[in-house]
Amino acid sequence: MREDVNSRPLTNYLNQLLGRCHNLIYMGSKPKSTALVTFYRDTYPRLFRETLPQTGLATAIVLVTMFAAWFLTLRDPAFAYRLLGPQMIETIEQKKMWTESIVTIKPLASSGIMTNNLSVSFSMFAMGITAGLGTIYMLIVNGLLLGVIGASTARAGMALQLWSFVAAHGVLELPAIFIAGGSGLEIARGLLFPGLLPRRTSLEIAGSRASRLLLGTIPMLVVAGVIEGFFSPSAVPVPAKFTLAAVLFAALISYLFLWSPDPAKRTSKRAALATAEPATVTVNSAL
């Protein structure tokens, strides 16, 4: 087409149009903060729902292990002694919460809690490369600890103390752990079940999805760490703690399951603005 003199105006117009389409499609010039907002607002809820089977499996592993450990502890208290150690069991028997020391070192405790939770989550993600065995092991360990501690405190008459402490931050921390486990299982799925794709390609795609899935847990764990360090061990009335837990859980469920962004409307607006300018140019050229 470039060699045909009569087609040069059409060629120039098509090149201009292509340039505008390129700017519309590849929005690389946007600030990173905008891209991050777009990710959490539009991409992450959809990605979570796409990988829900993996997160559901991770959740099931933790819950089944937790209830099994709970009943085993009620039947055999020595099981809790072996798992938690004598110091922890002695603290529970004295009806003391092991979290009392957090109150005196709130900022340091909050930072340590965040670091530990993030470390656990990233480890669950990375262990997916072991065909999911490492991820499953970590999920089972977390389930065991939840079950044993829950049953031990219930036997000691400390159930309300425990769950009023856990509720506010747990509604964010536990789902984040489940999602992190789901990210590891997503890597395992890509590795073990490539389908029609080459195994390496399947693993690359699954790894990309899993890393973005894990990225969404970071704000949840940061907020949970702040609440666990400052609010959960405080002297705030128990009803207030459960009320905050209910509000946070409702907000999280709404975001993950009910939030339905419509980026098509924003795209159509950009497209309308992009097509308006070429139309003006064409009219002026005709004149």
Side-chain angles (χ1 to χ4, degrees):
M1 186 179 289
R2 290 181 183 275
E3 295 178 358
D4 186 354
V5 177
N6 295 327
S7 66
R8 284 179 181 174
L10 179 59
T11 302
N12 293 334
Y13 172 73
L14 291 175
N15 286 336
Q16 293 173 6
L17 185 61
L18 179 62
R20 294 188 182 99
C21 291
H22 183 277
N23 292 334
L24 179 64
I25 297 172
Y26 300 99
M27 307 297 286
S29 60
K30 278 191 173 183
K32 291 184 178 180
S33 58
T34 305
L36 197 61
V37 170
T38 302
F39 170 76
Y40 284 111
R41 181 191 63 198
D42 298 339
T43 306
Y44 192 75
R46 183 175 63 253
L47 176 64
F48 170 81
R49 291 191 285 266
E50 290 174 355
T51 56
L52 188 57
Q54 289 83 308
T55 301
L57 178 58
T59 304
I61 292 171
V62 173
L63 293 181
V64 169
T65 308
M66 182 187 75
F67 286 117
W70 188 299
F71 289 115
L72 185 58
T73 301
L74 292 179
R75 293 189 61 181
D76 181 16
F79 178 73
Y81 186 90
R82 291 192 295 269
L83 194 65
L84 299 179
Q87 184 175 356
M88 183 76 161
I89 293 297
E90 183 179 353
T91 301
I92 294 175
E93 289 176 348
Q94 294 175 357
K95 300 185 182 299
K96 294 181 180 179
M97 285 292 291
W98 56 94
T99 56
E100 293 176 358
S101 59
I102 295 178
V103 178
T104 59
I105 52 170
K106 289 181 179 179
L108 184 61
S110 179
S111 176
I113 290 166
M114 288 183 203
T115 302
N116 178 70
N117 290 338
L118 288 170
S119 176
V120 170
S121 297
F122 277 84
S123 296
M124 286 186 176
F125 161 78
M127 285 296 179
I129 200 63
T130 64
L133 295 178
T135 301
I136 292 173
Y137 170 78
M138 295 187 70
L139 291 169
I140 290 174
V141 169
N142 277 271
L144 284 173
L145 289 174
L146 284 172
V148 171
I149 292 174
S152 298
T153 52
R155 287 174 61 92
M158 297 173 58
L160 182 61
Q161 287 178 265
L162 173 68
W163 298 114
S164 63
F165 169 78
V166 170
H169 65 269
V171 295
L172 296 178
E173 183 179 300
L174 290 176
I177 296 298
F178 300 155
I179 294 172
S183 70
L185 296 179
E186 168 64 12
I187 293 177
R189 184 202 60 79
L191 178 65
L192 298 175
F193 307 104
L196 299 177
L197 296 174
R199 194 174 302 276
R200 180 174 179 177
T201 303
S202 174
L203 184 58
E204 289 175 354
I205 295 173
S208 175
R209 284 159 58 91
S211 61
R212 288 181 291 147
L213 187 63
L214 179 68
L215 182 61
T217 66
I218 294 177
M220 297 165 61
L221 291 173
V222 170
V223 174
V226 172
I227 294 174
E228 187 173 358
F230 290 88
F231 182 81
S232 295
S234 68
V236 174
V238 170
K241 293 184 178 181
F242 283 115
T243 299
L244 177 60
V247 171
L248 290 175
F249 188 66
L252 180 64
I253 292 299
S254 298
Y255 169 65
L256 293 177
F257 289 95
L258 304 179
W259 174 249
S260 182
D262 190 6
K265 293 182 179 179
R266 292 188 292 274
T267 303
S268 63
K269 290 181 181 178
R270 296 195 192 103
L273 292 174
T275 55
E277 187 177 353
T280 303
V281 172
T282 303
V283 173
N284 290 339
S285 298
L287 293 174

